[in-house]
Amino acid sequence: TLTLADFLEEDRTRLLPWTERITHTLLTINYGAILALWVPIILSWAALPTGIAIHHYGIPGWLNFFVALGVLTWGGRDYAAWRRLTRINASAKNNPLVLNLKTPSQRFLVTGGTGFIGSKLCNALLREGHDVTLLVRDRVKAAKFFSKVGGKLTLIPSFAELNPEQSEFDVVINLAGEPIGEGRWTTAKKERIFSSRVKLTEDLLEFLKKNEESTKNSCLWIGNRILWSKQRQQRY
């Protein structure tokens, strides 16, 4: 029951690839088979008189003890993290981000809108009535992510899907990139962090260059810095 509940909860929070669905199914079947094999043993234990019997298994017993201690410690860590996230989510729900931009109903092009910062920004923009076009890798996942927010949201997998009529934006915000807080910073990880930001930024600048006429008044943000504003002819 717990395994199936965990499977369903994970399926609701993110789109699982077919390989992971098969793996979960096989694990559930395997666990059910193990429980079925335990049934005769459990029944024999149930027939025994009630009591506490101490039996030493030597080194394997001690190994299992330390493994169980590690699992218990990790469970305590997960519980503390869950409590902290619950408080953070409650605070964010009660105190949502408010932008109050001076210019209403602006058109935004955002990359990295499902990340930690981007999701809060896009939610605030949609709540305040702005049009948001979001570059995403997975439309289904992103649609679920913003399903409870109103406003006009357009999801695109690439800049090529935008025709000239759709390429006029007031503000362009680039927040996309490989997450830096997950996993070890190996050589391959560092390369992904670097290339994911550089390649996407190059693609974004190429898109702006091709649509220079319709984006001539746009303001471009990368990360938390304004790089340039053609409207003001200034660099920051």
Side-chain angles (χ1 to χ4, degrees), residues 173-202:
I173 302 176
N174 182 16
L175 299 172
E178 175 79 11
I180 63 175
E182 300 175 1
R184 297 179 58 190
W185 277 47
T186 61
T187 302
K189 174 74 172 180
K190 293 176 183 178
E191 178 61 29
R192 290 197 301 272
I193 291 174
F194 180 78
S195 62
S196 65
R197 284 157 175 79
V198 172
K199 179 64 170 61
L200 183 59
T201 302
E202 290 175 345

Side-chain angles (χ1 to χ4, degrees), residues 119-173:
S119 60
K120 293 176 173 56
L121 174 64
C122 288
N123 277 314
L125 291 172
L126 291 169
R127 281 196 305 268
E128 296 183 17
H130 300 282
D131 292 351
V132 178
T133 298
L134 187 58
L135 180 71
V136 296
R137 286 176 291 184
D138 191 326
R139 276 176 167 166
V140 176
K141 178 181 177 181
K144 287 184 178 180
F145 202 87
F146 296 103
S147 61
K148 297 181 180 179
V149 185
K152 185 178 179 181
L153 175 66
T154 303
L155 303 175
I156 58 170
S158 68
F159 297 120
E161 284 210 2
L162 292 172
N163 56 48
E165 292 76 18
Q166 297 174 310
S167 301
E168 186 175 346
F169 296 101
D170 301 301
V171 181
V172 180
I173 302 176

Side-chain angles (χ1 to χ4, degrees), residues 78-94:
D78 286 346
Y79 176 75
W82 170 76
R83 291 291 302 271
R84 179 172 176 271
L85 285 174
T86 301
R87 291 194 297 269
I88 292 175
N89 290 335
S91 176
K93 186 176 181 180
N94 296 328

Side-chain angles (χ1 to χ4, degrees), residues 21-65:
R21 289 175 179 273
I22 292 176
T23 301
H24 281 188
T25 303
L26 292 176
L27 287 173
T28 303
I29 295 174
N30 181 67
Y31 187 55
I34 292 175
L35 290 178
L37 292 174
W38 275 351
V39 168
I41 299 175
I42 294 174
L43 292 176
S44 66
W45 288 348
L48 296 175
T50 303
I52 298 176
I54 299 176
H55 186 83
H56 296 286
Y57 292 94
I59 294 178
W62 282 106
L63 288 176
N64 285 330
F65 169 76

